[in-house]
Amino acid sequence: MTAEDFLSGQVLLIDKPLHWTSFQVVNKLRWEIRQAFNIKKIKVGHAGTLDPLATGLLVVCAGKKTKEINIYQGQIKEYTGTIILGSTTPSFDLETEINNTFPIDHISEELIYKTTQQFIGEIQQFPPVFSAIKKDGKRLYEFARAGEDVEIKPRTVSISEFEITNIMGQNVDFRVVCSKGTYIRSLANDFGKALNSGSHLSALRRTKIGDFSVENAISIDGFIDSLKG
């Protein structure tokens, strides 16, 4: 690939590693492209944030393709992951420590499968307070980390598939197909409430965005090697 290829526009499918922010991935790719082709300036952006504790498909647009970011952001997404039953965290995932524990003796496999049906279709969902959504010019996680209470309004999201793929003790593996704006962490938290217990997300991987699949994505190192090729 040449400098002109990137400037005229490229859509890059990156398999985001654990602990990286989506912003860090974009910065790294932009820097590597500029270094490889001696480009002073190039636009690079991603089409939908992944949390640092999530892995998987990050659609990154470079050059003139950044104008299409909104198109990709609005497409249907697929995730796989694991929910841990019986405990909650303030962030709804492993970013924060467990703050409450709940009984799970009443939860059968049949109840787990049956409860997924409550979340199919259009649902009202409260985003996690530990999220990058802005309110009054600040991101929600800034309020949360400062210990400040903040009112969060629910949003309408759509879930077309919520499939349980494995149950091993308190660990429930799942696959979800959902609309833009769906927080899987909130789904995990709400799922625990629906089971008259509590739960939080312990793993998350984005596998699809529209027609793009993580199977066709490359690692950051793989992308850097391709620039040298």
Side-chain angles (χ1 to χ4, degrees):
M1 238 184 287
T2 65
E4 186 52 42
D5 288 330
F6 281 102
L7 291 168
S8 62
Q10 292 294 319
V11 177
L12 311 169
L13 305 185
I14 301 296
D15 190 345
K16 188 190 87 65
L18 195 64
H19 301 308
W20 281 61
T21 67
S22 301
F23 187 66
Q24 285 172 327
V25 174
V26 167
N27 276 351
K28 176 68 172 172
L29 267 55
R30 184 191 297 114
W31 191 87
E32 293 291 345
I33 293 166
R34 286 179 56 210
Q35 293 298 306
F37 301 108
N38 197 25
I39 301 171
K40 281 191 176 181
K41 193 174 181 182
I42 183 170
K43 285 186 177 180
V44 181
H46 66 75
T49 305
L50 271 179
D51 289 334
L53 294 182
T55 65
L57 183 60
L58 193 69
V59 174
V60 177
C61 298
K64 292 180 179 177
K65 283 289 183 180
T66 53
K67 293 176 182 176
E68 298 178 10
I69 281 176
N70 285 342
I71 297 172
Y72 303 128
Q73 277 182 331
Q75 293 182 346
I76 298 296
K77 298 173 177 67
E78 179 189 81
Y79 296 88
T80 60
T82 303
I83 294 169
I84 296 180
L85 303 178
S87 54
T88 56
T89 72
S91 60
F92 303 165
D93 65 2
L94 299 179
E95 184 187 337
T96 52
E97 299 291 321
I98 289 170
N99 61 348
N100 283 304
T101 56
F102 301 84
I104 58 170
D105 294 346
H106 64 285
I107 302 175
S108 63
E109 289 195 1
E110 181 185 6
L111 181 61
I112 290 171
Y113 285 109
K114 187 178 177 183
T115 302
T116 60
Q117 297 305 307
Q118 295 181 29
F119 297 92
I120 301 296
E122 285 199 346
I123 62 168
Q124 291 289 299
Q125 186 184 75
F126 286 91
V129 69
F130 281 83
S131 64
I133 293 171
K134 281 191 173 180
K135 181 179 173 66
D136 301 330
K138 285 173 68 175
R139 299 198 183 277
L140 289 185
Y141 63 73
E142 294 180 68
F143 290 102
R145 287 170 184 160
E148 298 175 32
D149 288 331
V150 59
E151 185 186 355
I152 303 173
K153 293 182 178 178
R155 50 171 64 182
T156 302
V157 298
S158 180
I159 296 175
S160 54
E161 295 181 54
F162 185 9
E163 175 191 6
I164 303 302
T165 55
N166 190 46
I167 301 171
M168 183 73 71
Q170 291 174 253
N171 296 296
V172 178
D173 296 339
F174 66 88
R175 183 182 71 88
V176 166
V177 179
C178 58
S179 67
K180 171 191 175 182
T182 305
Y183 275 92
I184 308 301
R185 285 185 287 145
S186 292
L187 177 63
N189 183 68
D190 293 341
F191 192 62
K193 289 179 183 176
L195 290 166
N196 290 316
S197 182
S199 61
H200 63 279
L201 195 66
S202 66
L204 184 66
R205 183 165 176 77
R206 185 156 64 196
T207 45
K208 289 181 182 176
I209 298 176
D211 293 330
F212 298 129
S213 172
V214 73
E215 292 175 3
N216 300 318
I218 60 173
S219 66
I220 293 171
D221 287 341
F223 174 74
I224 294 168
D225 287 344
S226 73
L227 293 177
K228 299 170 184 173

